[in-house]
Amino acid sequence: MTTHLDDTARTAGPAGPAGTADTAAWSPPQEPDAAPAPGPGEPKRPFAARIWRGRPEDPRWARPAFLGLLLATCVLYLYNLSASGYANSFYSAAVQAGSQSWKAFFFGSLDSANAITVDKPPAALWPMALSVKVFGLNSWAILVPEVLMGVGSVAAVYASVRRRFSPASGLIAGAVLALTPVAALMFRFNNPDAMLALLMTVACYLVVRALEDGRTKWLVWAGVAIGVAFLAKTLQAFLILPPLAIVYAVCAPVPLRKRFSQLALATAALVVSGGWWVAVVELWPASSRPYIGGSQNNSFLELTFGYNGLGRLNGEETGSVGGGGGGGGGGTGQWGETGWDRMFNSEIGAQISWLLPAALILLAAGLVATRRRKRTSVTRGAFLVWGGSLLITTVVFSFMAGIFHQYYTIALAPYMAAVIGMGTGILWEKRSGIRASLTLAAASVAAAAWGYVLLNRTPDHLPWLKWLVLVGGLAGALGLVFAGRLPRRLALAAAAVSVLAALAGPTAYTLSTVDSAHTGSIPTAGPAGASMMGGGRGGPGGGDGGFGGGGPGRQGQQGQQGQQGQGRQNGGGLPGGTPGQGRTAPGGQANGDGGRMGGGAGGLINGATVTDEAKKLLGADSENYTWAGAAIGSQNAASYQLATGDPVMAIGGFNGTDPSPTLAQFKQYVADGRIHYFISSGSGGGGAMGGGSGDGTSAQITEWIEANFKQVTVGSATFYDLTQETTG
């Protein structure tokens, strides 16, 4: 097997050569850092040869195996892609609007008439909107860009690991990422997390490149990647900044002064790449742009540092549907338990934690193996970059008390995959040493034992697999203990058994994920019952109390026209009460069935089912109005907008709690003849989270409409014609 690269840094420009490779314990045999550049007069290898053949020193199988991994990932993620329809109709409606209006494209508006934006910056919407603009509005046009982001993430993880380790290590890392259930979910879904994961992966790759030779350009590009990631999901992009900055400041192969000047340039690149859009929005007159969804004062900065920022950590998100609990030492709240074991519990574990115990063992082993190397050791720097990102993200996710969904954990997948690939590579090279072989065996046992536990949580799903995983992992671990003494083929066989056993569980859940439809705002990976958000504690989706899809495995409402009954909302739902006690959501009527709506109305999570009659009603003379209709909550509005193709105003934004529009503004829109219909939630009082008491904007608008305009019933849905006032 090809050994990993040495730690000899390239010459760092005018500052002079960097440190040389060290000869510490566990240091494997060394090979050149990269293929030598062609000399004067020596022809450069054709581009096609470099793509298909790879590095000259690579074995012949390496590049075909890598390309095969990318192809297999792409095929896996494309399989059954259209089953999810528009996936999260909230973002799909914004994509539709962006394909119709460049102004909506720029701001991330939910509708092409630019009433209100989504509650995130718009970068994650841009690739999808451009795709829809070219190929038309359909499931593939929306979701294929997400698939390509997944393939790109696998490629970036492989490339980073391969630069310091063997091709096999890179392939293991790429396969771990591709087969992590939450990755298979979110790289086929239209939430912003796919772009965030890709850009965070690229940022780590670029920092490792910068550690090799101290070139400023790699660090600057890393800053650009994180800045663009900020425009995808705001402050979450900054979680890994501390480890990246500290590792480069300590380990880069250039003088200290230059390190700090490079970090300053990278920070400037981050601010420019992420701040230009913020500056435009803040300077743009509020009267001529859409309202910033998720904020209470029409300010993107307030949204960034409040609802989408510190509020997520302490649970005090103004305008939210309720915070968590247990911040600090742990506890139970609306969004599940917090504490050191959060990533392993029944709510989160099946999404991400399959190989997390093994990754932590391998990270510790990698740091021990490189502990005596020089400051500029790139191998140790790679462990610190990827491992530091893994640890800090895990800690923040484990203790954040605010809104937390299972799918957020996709952010951990690239870091975990890279650590597993690197740790496996460095220990395999030293398998003749008892410490290395025992550590490899320990990682195999940890993966097998934890895989058994996770599979046992869904005993009806492939009940035989947990035993195969456990026995295979233990058998492989036994072989790894003696890997340094066994013939090479037997050692490779033991390693292969261990890898297959470790990946069997997440692979089964990934296959279940791609074989199922996922819609709504809170999708989860794996088979029914794999992620029991809230358990019996009354958390999101717990028991039957969550609204927006009931408990795991129950049929959630489909928010797209013509796909009723096909969507599956695993573990979906918002903070619910006790079993049988649904809570009222924006546009949703509380009932005893998980808070799900019947008829034509929708809810906070899954939106509405739009009948042909309702579609015909809204479409009539829609060209004469700025908005064909208006509804409480973004999911309701999005469902009708996607079905009709006409703008539908989302009163109150996603939660129905944003003060937009005000009652006075809405009255003026109606007086000007700009809105045709109001789509009632059927809950009396608007059903808004913030409007149940009657003093919220959504409730005020609903009360005024019900008292002054003609009611029109279409099937089980209720509309109000805002062009026909009642006499009473």
Side-chain angles (χ1 to χ4, degrees):
M1 181 179 291
T2 306
T3 57
H4 77 60
L5 303 180
D6 63 33
D7 289 321
T8 304
R10 301 188 185 113
T11 301
T20 57
D22 55 287
T23 56
W26 285 22
S27 179
Q30 298 171 346
E31 64 184 36
D33 184 49
E42 182 181 347
K44 188 176 181 180
R45 290 193 305 150
F47 177 75
R50 283 180 282 150
I51 290 294
W52 295 107
R53 178 65 180 88
R55 300 182 180 189
E57 71 272 16
D58 276 353
R60 297 186 64 87
W61 55 265
R63 186 48 60 102
F66 166 59
L67 296 176
L69 172 65
L70 297 186
L71 178 61
T73 302
C74 186
V75 171
L76 175 67
Y77 288 178
L78 288 175
Y79 172 77
N80 199 34
L81 187 64
S82 60
S84 296
Y86 294 136
N88 189 343
S89 57
F90 174 57
Y91 291 115
S92 289
V95 167
Q96 178 196 43
S99 70
Q100 297 172 339
S101 162
W102 286 114
K103 186 175 183 179
F105 177 91
F106 178 80
F107 286 106
S109 301
L110 188 70
D111 63 273
S112 59
N114 294 287
I116 194 169
T117 71
V118 297
D119 56 2
K120 301 289 188 299
L125 302 173
W126 291 340
M128 294 183 284
L130 292 175
S131 176
V132 169
K133 198 169 187 68
V134 174
F135 300 106
L137 181 67
N138 59 77
S139 181
W140 275 63
I142 293 173
L143 299 180
V144 167
E146 310 299 283
V147 170
L148 297 179
M149 292 177 193
V151 176
S153 298
V154 171
V157 165
Y158 171 90
S160 184
V161 173
R162 174 62 191 101
R163 290 190 67 80
R164 310 308 309 173
F165 301 89
S166 68
S169 300
L171 291 172
I172 290 173
V176 168
L177 174 57
L179 295 174
T180 299
V182 71
L185 171 72
M186 296 313 295
F187 286 131
R188 294 160 44 84
F189 207 74
N190 59 336
N191 281 19
D193 300 76
M195 175 176 278
L196 179 74
L198 170 63
L199 291 169
M200 294 296 92
T201 304
V202 170
C204 290
Y205 165 81
L206 291 168
V207 171
V208 173
R209 288 293 300 267
L211 288 172
E212 292 178 357
D213 55 17
R215 294 187 188 178
T216 304
K217 69 174 183 178
W218 300 121
L219 204 62
V220 169
W221 279 116
V224 171
I226 295 175
V228 177
F230 171 82
L231 292 181
K233 210 175 178 189
T234 59
L235 293 185
Q236 188 177 336
F238 295 168
L239 281 184
I240 65 173
L241 277 180
L244 297 190
I246 292 171
V247 171
Y248 191 83
V250 173
C251 302
V254 292
L256 182 62
R257 178 176 295 180
K258 184 171 183 179
R259 279 176 255 161
F260 282 103
S261 66
Q262 290 173 321
L263 287 170
L265 289 173
T267 302
L270 184 157
V271 171
V272 171
S273 60
W276 68 271
W277 184 86
V278 179
V280 171
V281 172
E282 289 298 308
L283 294 174
W284 197 295
S287 59
S288 66
R289 62 162 170 78
Y291 186 93
I292 304 301
S295 72
Q296 298 300 299
N297 298 312
N298 198 11
S299 168
F300 181 77
L301 292 178
E302 180 219 331
L303 173 67
T304 299
F305 293 102
Y307 178 73
N308 280 340
L310 298 178
R312 298 296 174 110
L313 299 179
N314 58 25
E316 298 177 2
E317 306 104 326
T318 303
S320 176
V321 293
T332 302
Q334 301 268 28
W335 303 102
E337 289 186 346
T338 61
W340 65 269
D341 62 340
R342 190 181 203 179
M343 296 300 101
F344 303 93
N345 64 25
S346 61
E347 301 167 3
I348 310 296
Q351 307 298 299
I352 186 64
S353 73
W354 296 87
L355 300 180
L356 191 53
L360 296 176
I361 292 172
L362 294 171
L363 173 59
L367 294 176
V368 170
T370 57
R371 69 191 183 282
R372 295 177 183 170
R373 300 194 177 196
K374 287 185 176 290
R375 173 184 64 81
T376 56
S377 168
V378 184
T379 301
R380 181 177 57 202
F383 274 107
L384 291 172
V385 165
W386 291 102
S389 299
L390 174 65
L391 291 177
I392 195 170
T393 306
T394 299
V395 169
V396 171
F397 282 179
S398 295
F399 291 97
M400 60 185 288
I403 293 176
F404 183 82
H405 300 314
Q406 299 98 315
Y407 65 79
Y408 289 0
T409 56
I410 187 181
L412 296 171
Y415 316 142
M416 181 180 69
V419 167
I420 289 173
M422 295 187 300
T424 301
I426 199 170
L427 294 180
W428 178 259
E429 295 297 345
K430 299 303 296 180
R431 63 191 180 278
S432 58
I434 188 62
R435 288 184 298 174
S437 60
L438 286 177
T439 306
L440 277 174
S444 177
V445 170
W450 187 241
Y452 174 89
V453 172
L454 291 177
L455 289 169
N456 197 46
R457 290 177 178 174
T458 52
D460 295 331
H461 182 71
L462 304 178
W464 52 268
L465 184 59
K466 61 185 177 183
W467 297 110
L468 185 64
V469 167
L470 184 61
V471 173
L474 295 178
L478 182 62
L480 289 174
V481 171
F482 303 101
R485 299 168 180 81
L486 293 173
R488 180 175 177 80
R489 288 188 177 181
L490 287 179
L492 287 174
V497 169
S498 295
V499 171
L500 291 175
L503 290 177
T507 299
Y509 273 50
T510 291
L511 294 177
S512 175
T513 300
V514 301
D515 196 43
S516 304
H518 296 275
T519 60
S521 298
I522 312 180
T524 57
S531 184
M532 309 212 25
M533 193 69 174
R537 299 178 300 275
D544 293 329
F547 42 82
R554 298 178 61 180
Q555 293 294 325
Q557 274 192 315
Q558 175 68 30
Q560 285 79 46
Q561 173 71 12
Q563 296 182 349
Q564 293 92 326
Q566 296 178 8
R568 181 170 65 85
Q569 179 71 25
N570 293 30
L574 280 176
T578 57
Q581 292 178 343
R583 289 175 54 186
T584 305
Q589 182 176 1
N591 57 29
D593 191 19
R596 293 178 295 162
M597 281 300 302
L604 181 64
I605 299 302
N606 290 324
T609 300
V610 183
T611 63
D612 290 337
E613 292 83 355
K615 181 178 177 181
K616 182 177 179 180
L617 179 69
L618 283 177
D621 299 325
S622 60
E623 66 277 4
N624 297 325
Y625 300 90
T626 305
W627 293 277
I632 305 295
S634 294
Q635 287 286 15
N636 283 334
S639 299
Y640 285 94
Q641 179 174 299
L642 289 168
T644 63
D646 298 316
V648 176
M649 177 186 291
I651 299 173
F654 184 83
N655 297 328
T657 57
D658 298 346
S660 174
T662 64
L663 177 59
Q665 289 172 331
F666 192 85
K667 287 181 176 180
Q668 188 61 52
Y669 290 146
V670 173
D672 294 340
R674 301 182 65 184
I675 308 174
H676 196 176
Y677 289 101
F678 173 75
I679 305 162
S680 174
S681 66
S683 58
M689 293 292 292
S693 64
D695 57 358
T697 299
S698 299
Q700 292 171 6
I701 291 174
T702 303
E703 183 180 357
W704 175 71
I705 291 172
E706 290 176 346
N708 291 281
F709 293 94
K710 180 181 178 181
Q711 179 176 314
V712 180
T713 301
V714 179
S716 58
T718 301
F719 295 76
Y720 287 86
D721 189 340
L722 301 183
T723 65
Q724 298 187 40
E725 293 189 55
T726 59
T727 57

